[in-house]
Amino acid sequence: MTTPIRMSLSSLREGRWYEYIIRLVLGGAATVFAGFVSSRFGASVGGLFLALPAIFCASATLIEKHEIRRKREAGLSGERRAQMAAALDSAGAALGSGGMFAFALVFWLTVQSSVIGAFVAASFAWLAISIGAWFMRRKARPRRVSIRESGRPALPRSRPF
């Protein structure tokens, strides 16, 4: 079974305006902090802080709040589902950080010869590592056994991914 990679903009309607302001401010603060680190310790060290997923903490908290609110509107508690949704987001951030590391490494190794070429090569490295990590994660997950294979009903998925 394959799951296509999709993009859905419908989740943008779930957020409130102040939640987007929080994300913007935290992302901007992380960028300013990276600038201070860069001016003190050099661009190589400062660039590592730009790759820092500063928005992650705010994002995980907001995802949890959205899931709890959605489940409460349906008359359910929603705490467990909210924790699982935030965990899924953190797993995606961890997989994405590998791609960002690949981008930084390839760019650093190739930028002296050509800036445009370094950007293109680093972008391909990011794409390859991120998609490869996603596929490896899909393959590493325990496989669900169907009723026909086990003779008993399959357990419902406990993870949202």
Side-chain angles (χ1 to χ4, degrees):
M1 181 173 127
T2 60
T3 303
I5 299 173
R6 294 183 295 236
M7 186 173 98
S8 173
L9 299 177
S10 64
S11 62
L12 291 175
R13 288 178 283 197
E14 294 176 11
R16 296 198 168 103
W17 66 270
Y18 61 86
E19 294 171 339
Y20 294 112
I21 298 289
I22 290 170
R23 291 179 183 184
L24 179 72
V25 168
L26 288 176
T31 303
V32 169
F33 177 73
F36 286 135
V37 170
S38 183
S39 66
R40 173 87 171 127
F41 298 104
S44 295
V45 176
L48 293 174
F49 284 91
L50 277 177
L52 174 75
I55 204 70
F56 173 70
C57 295
S59 174
T61 304
L62 294 175
I63 287 170
E64 186 177 17
K65 286 180 184 178
H66 288 175
E67 287 297 323
I68 288 174
R69 183 178 18 177
R70 184 181 303 135
K71 291 296 179 180
R72 286 201 177 137
E73 288 172 359
L76 302 169
S77 168
E79 276 85 14
R80 180 73 179 142
R81 171 74 177 167
Q83 289 172 351
M84 293 175 80
L88 178 60
D89 188 54
S90 68
L95 293 176
S97 67
M100 289 300 294
F101 179 76
F103 181 94
L105 181 65
V106 170
F107 191 85
W108 179 67
L109 291 172
T110 58
V111 72
Q112 295 299 323
S113 59
S114 166
V115 174
I116 302 274
F119 182 72
V120 170
S123 296
F124 279 120
W126 167 80
L127 184 65
I129 295 297
S130 297
I131 290 176
W134 183 80
F135 276 116
M136 285 185 357
R137 169 72 176 101
R138 297 282 300 169
K139 293 293 183 189
R141 260 189 20 214
R143 196 175 137 254
R144 288 179 48 189
V145 179
S146 72
I147 295 172
R148 284 179 279 216
E149 294 175 33
S150 70
R152 65 177 197 267
L155 296 174
R157 290 178 115 171
S158 61
R159 295 184 290 180
F161 49 90

